[in-house]
Amino acid sequence: MDRVPTPDGTPASAVLKSSVAPAPAGGPRGHPPRTPAPLKAVDKETTAGVLFGIGAYGLWGLLPLYFFALQPAGAIEIVANRVVWSLLFCTLLITVTRSWRVLGAGFRDRTVLLTLSIAAALIAVNWLTYTYGVTTGQAVEASLGYFINPLVSVLIGVFVLKEKLRPLQWAAVGIGFIAVVVLTFSYGKLPWIALTLAFSFGLYGFVKKRIGPRADAITSLTMETVVLTPLAAATMIFLAVSGTATLGANGAGHFWLLAASGIITAVPLLFFGASARRLPMTTIGLLQYFAPVLQFIVALTVFKETMTADRWIGFGVVWLALVVLTVDMLAVARRSSVARRLARKEARTGT
């Protein structure tokens, strides 16, 4: 966790050591003195990672405003356009980065293709559910889904990966279950929008993790949109033929707003990839709360959605579960960091 790489790949610990130690007046046997590596390089990389992370989660958090601007387009039309225009934008990126060979290799690998096809189905469910929630005045419940998502990731670790939970993780899951019960009572029904979002995105992250380095962010997104495009294009044609499409019927501004969905989909993903390369996972885990917090604020202040007292209680219980989960995550990260430092110290002493 404490090894943040610099642009040339040097670990942060090595940079710190070389920057603190005084440079000798001359190297052995006439070699020139060594120049200490600049510590600022690490700071710049970390700062850039945080800014990229805030950019990614900030854009995802403000996504409800974009969907609101797309009215009167419905969820199905928005998602269909999002898929098709994302493919066009990804095609441009693949061309600019000269990654056609990498993309072709991905399609030839049956394991990668099958796994990303499953991921495509999960993200389609997630997009449809989220867009439906925002466009039907249920943005608060949609934000709840992404608050619950870290708890779902823990459950996936238990039931799918057969991981053993630590006591604080069990406490967080138990508190989260209580929150769902409270919110079910508040809404008068199971908060299915929130639960669908949490489980679809949690499973999507799990499936994408199985791919690992075999497909980068742009390759993965391109393959997923290729899988979804036939259905999305057919949906757009059906809406146009039936006279219910808004793409070409609400002026140039509306058309270009829908067309921009490709950029709005891809840019946060690129920012996230840039952030993940520069930051430890603990920091990424903390930044992820930025998106649902923004979504929640937008729902209350812009969309004027109501929050009853029992809903505030339910959300409060969810936030308590997240605090417990975050404390556990930070404690584990700190122990791991200390253990690595001790191991490096023992290795140096042993040699």
Side-chain angles (χ1 to χ4, degrees), residues 83-212:
V83 170
V84 172
W85 294 110
S86 293
L87 179 60
L88 293 178
F89 185 70
C90 286
T91 300
L92 176 62
L93 289 178
I94 291 288
T95 302
V96 170
T97 58
R98 300 178 180 178
S99 303
W100 285 104
R101 185 174 298 178
V102 177
L103 181 63
F107 276 106
R108 287 191 296 272
D109 189 323
R110 292 184 179 180
T111 301
V112 171
L113 179 58
L114 177 61
T115 305
L116 289 180
S117 296
I118 296 172
L122 289 169
I123 202 61
V125 170
N126 183 270
W127 285 355
L128 275 170
T129 306
Y130 182 74
T131 310
Y132 171 80
V134 171
T135 56
T136 56
Q138 302 175 83
V140 167
E141 187 179 341
S143 71
L144 174 64
Y146 292 104
F147 280 123
I148 296 175
N149 180 64
L151 300 174
V152 171
S153 297
V154 172
L155 290 176
I156 291 174
V158 174
F159 292 106
V160 180
L161 301 178
K162 307 301 180 182
E163 296 176 352
K164 293 183 178 180
L165 295 187
R166 297 180 291 273
L168 283 180
Q169 288 178 312
W170 276 118
V173 170
I175 295 170
F177 178 78
I178 294 172
V180 171
V181 173
V182 172
L183 289 166
T184 298
F185 175 79
S186 169
Y187 282 100
K189 61 180 179 64
L190 198 67
W192 69 269
I193 291 177
L195 293 176
T196 301
L197 288 173
F199 278 94
S200 61
F201 198 72
L203 289 170
Y204 175 75
F206 168 74
V207 170
K208 291 293 288 285
K209 191 174 179 64
R210 305 291 289 184
I211 289 292

Side-chain angles (χ1 to χ4, degrees), residues 248-262:
N250 286 66
H254 183 74
F255 173 87
W256 288 112
L257 273 175
L258 272 173
S261 60

Side-chain angles (χ1 to χ4, degrees), residues 232-265:
T235 300
M236 290 176 66
I237 293 171
F238 173 79
L239 293 174
V241 171
S242 63
T244 56
T246 67
L247 180 63
N250 286 66
H254 183 74
F255 173 87
W256 288 112
L257 273 175
L258 272 173
S261 60
I263 299 175
I264 290 171
T265 298

